């Protein structure tokens, strides 16, 4: 069994990006600039945006964090997005989700200039991805593709089962794994909360990508020998024995499933670090396109 080590691969990618940024600096070119908009005081969101800012520093990007209060109106947020769209100094920006209830998330994501949408959430970019055109791929699916690629995991002709159909991970993953090329060319089954006899489906899978958000959902009896497991789930589970009072758990019963797997991502340290690395990669692509 081989661990798909997202921490190691993400560090490799950051080093590669830093080398490219160093070359830009040496030529006197403008370095990539990523902005993040955060509305409210959600603890997990603040932690996540903070790690994005630190990642920018590490690779030599400029970064801007735009903090707005929990009472921000939809109009105020849309005005701020338009300001970022028009700001030539900013190459890409993200709107940290979730947003407060008074704001329509879809309306906000639609307002982002597709050429600066480094999260890959705008319908224009999603549509291009679905049509195999060059575009920004959402960072988590992009990270999964990169992991499979760098570990040389064979996907051609394989049966890939995706668990979960979110617009951020499940849906794009189902499209990407079925596309022509590598990683891709697999036969994809997309499962979700209304799928019947899910064990029957997962037990036939060569590759399982789980993005459900239900701790330890995927058990050893649900998978076959030598399966490839990509666990996107990340849930805080209360644990009195942990100093933090909780442990981070994925969708997969790692201890037992790993005994049957050929490749598996750990949680934490698998898909999570890859997401930030690929956000940086998308920002670098945005800068290159703007040049």
């Amino acid at each position: 069994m081989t661990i798909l080590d997202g921490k190691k691969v993400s560090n490799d990618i950051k080093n590669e990006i830093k080398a490219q940024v160093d070359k830009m600096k040496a030529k006197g070119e403008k370095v990539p600039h990523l902005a993040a908009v955060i509305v409210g005081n959600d603890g997990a969101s603040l932690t996540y945006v903070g790690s994005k800012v630190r990642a920018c520093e590490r690779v030599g990007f400029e970064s801007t964090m735009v903090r707005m209060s929990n009472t921000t109106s939809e109009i105020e947020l849309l005005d701020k997005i338009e300001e970022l769209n028009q700001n030539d100094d900013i190459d890409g920006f993200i709107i940290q989700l979730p947003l407060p209830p008074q704001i329509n998330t879809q309306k906000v994501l639609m307002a982002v200039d597709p050429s600066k949408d480094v999260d890959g959430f705008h319908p224009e970019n999603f549509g291009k991805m679905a049509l195999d055109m060059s575009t920004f791929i959402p960072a988590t699916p992009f990270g999964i593709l990169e992991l499979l690629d760098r570990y040389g995991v064979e996907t051609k002709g394989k049966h890939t089962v995706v668990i979960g159909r979110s617009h951020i991970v499940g849906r794009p993953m189902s499209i990407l794994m079925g596309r022509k090329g590598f990683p891709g060319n697999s036969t994809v089954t997309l499962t979700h909360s209304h799928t019947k006899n899910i064990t029957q489906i997962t037990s036939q899978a060569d590759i399982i990508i789980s993005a459900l958000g239900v701790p330890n959902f995927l058990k050893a009896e649900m998978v076959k020998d030598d399966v490839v497991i990509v666990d996107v789930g990340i849930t805080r589970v209360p644990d009195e024995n942990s100093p933090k009072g909780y442990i981070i758990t994925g969708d997969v019963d790692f201890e037992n499933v790993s005994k049957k797997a050929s490749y598996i991502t750990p949680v934490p340290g698998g898909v999570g670090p890859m997401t930030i690395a690929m956000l940086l990669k998308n920002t670098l692509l945005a800068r290159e396109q703007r040049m």
Side-chain angles (χ1 to χ4, degrees), residues 1-4 148 153-154 158-163 201-210 218-231 252-254 256-265:
M1 185 268 293
T2 302
I3 293 281
L4 296 170
L148 296 173
V153 177
E154 187 55 73
K158 301 294 185 185
H159 181 197
T160 297
V161 171
V162 179
I163 306 175
I201 298 167
T202 55
S203 60
Q204 294 170 8
D206 301 306
I207 301 167
I208 298 174
I209 299 166
S210 186
L218 195 72
K219 309 284 187 205
E221 59 269 21
M222 296 170 72
V223 306
K224 68 178 186 181
D225 288 337
D226 293 328
V227 66
V228 176
I229 300 282
V230 177
D231 188 352
V252 179
D253 174 7
F254 183 90
N256 296 303
V257 173
S258 61
K259 291 169 187 166
K260 293 175 87 169
S262 56
Y263 294 89
I264 190 166
T265 59

Side-chain angles (χ1 to χ4, degrees), residues 50-158:
S51 58
K52 287 171 181 171
V53 169
R54 285 193 299 279
C56 284
E57 284 169 9
R58 181 181 157 182
V59 299
F61 285 10
E62 286 182 34
S63 67
T64 300
M65 194 200 284
V66 179
R67 291 195 61 175
M68 302 181 81
S69 79
N70 212 30
T71 55
T72 299
S73 70
E74 192 176 279
I75 301 260
E76 285 170 321
L77 180 54
L78 290 170
D79 284 347
K80 179 54 73 176
I81 289 169
E82 188 50 31
E83 197 183 298
L84 295 169
N85 284 339
Q86 299 301 328
N87 186 339
D88 277 342
D89 190 48
I90 288 171
D91 300 297
F93 67 95
I94 60 155
I95 312 296
Q96 185 64 40
L97 303 179
L99 293 168
Q102 73 272 18
I103 296 171
N104 180 327
T105 301
Q106 202 56 53
K107 200 171 174 182
V108 164
L109 296 179
M110 286 284 288
V112 177
D113 179 342
S115 73
K116 292 189 176 191
D117 168 41
V118 287
D119 256 338
F121 292 164
H122 193 282
E124 185 178 312
N125 289 326
F126 198 96
K128 283 181 173 177
M129 177 199 72
L131 293 169
D132 260 352
M133 295 165 72
S134 174
T135 189
F136 298 120
I137 297 174
T140 301
F142 196 7
I144 294 168
L145 293 180
E146 196 73 17
L147 264 184
L148 296 173
D149 183 8
R150 295 202 181 210
Y151 278 91
V153 177
E154 187 55 73
T155 59
K156 186 168 74 174
K158 301 294 185 185

Side-chain angles (χ1 to χ4, degrees), residues 163-223:
I163 306 175
R165 55 180 167 182
S166 75
H167 295 168
I168 295 171
V169 184
R171 190 81 55 87
M173 246 8 270
S174 68
I175 295 166
L176 292 163
M177 290 301 285
R179 68 181 180 165
K180 287 181 181 175
F182 175 75
N185 278 324
S186 69
T187 302
V188 183
T189 304
L190 179 62
T191 66
H192 44 77
S193 56
H194 293 278
T195 301
K196 292 177 180 172
N197 305 324
I198 194 163
T199 299
Q200 203 177 330
I201 298 167
T202 55
S203 60
Q204 294 170 8
D206 301 306
I207 301 167
I208 298 174
I209 299 166
S210 186
L212 198 62
V214 177
N216 298 314
F217 171 81
L218 195 72
K219 309 284 187 205
E221 59 269 21
M222 296 170 72
V223 306

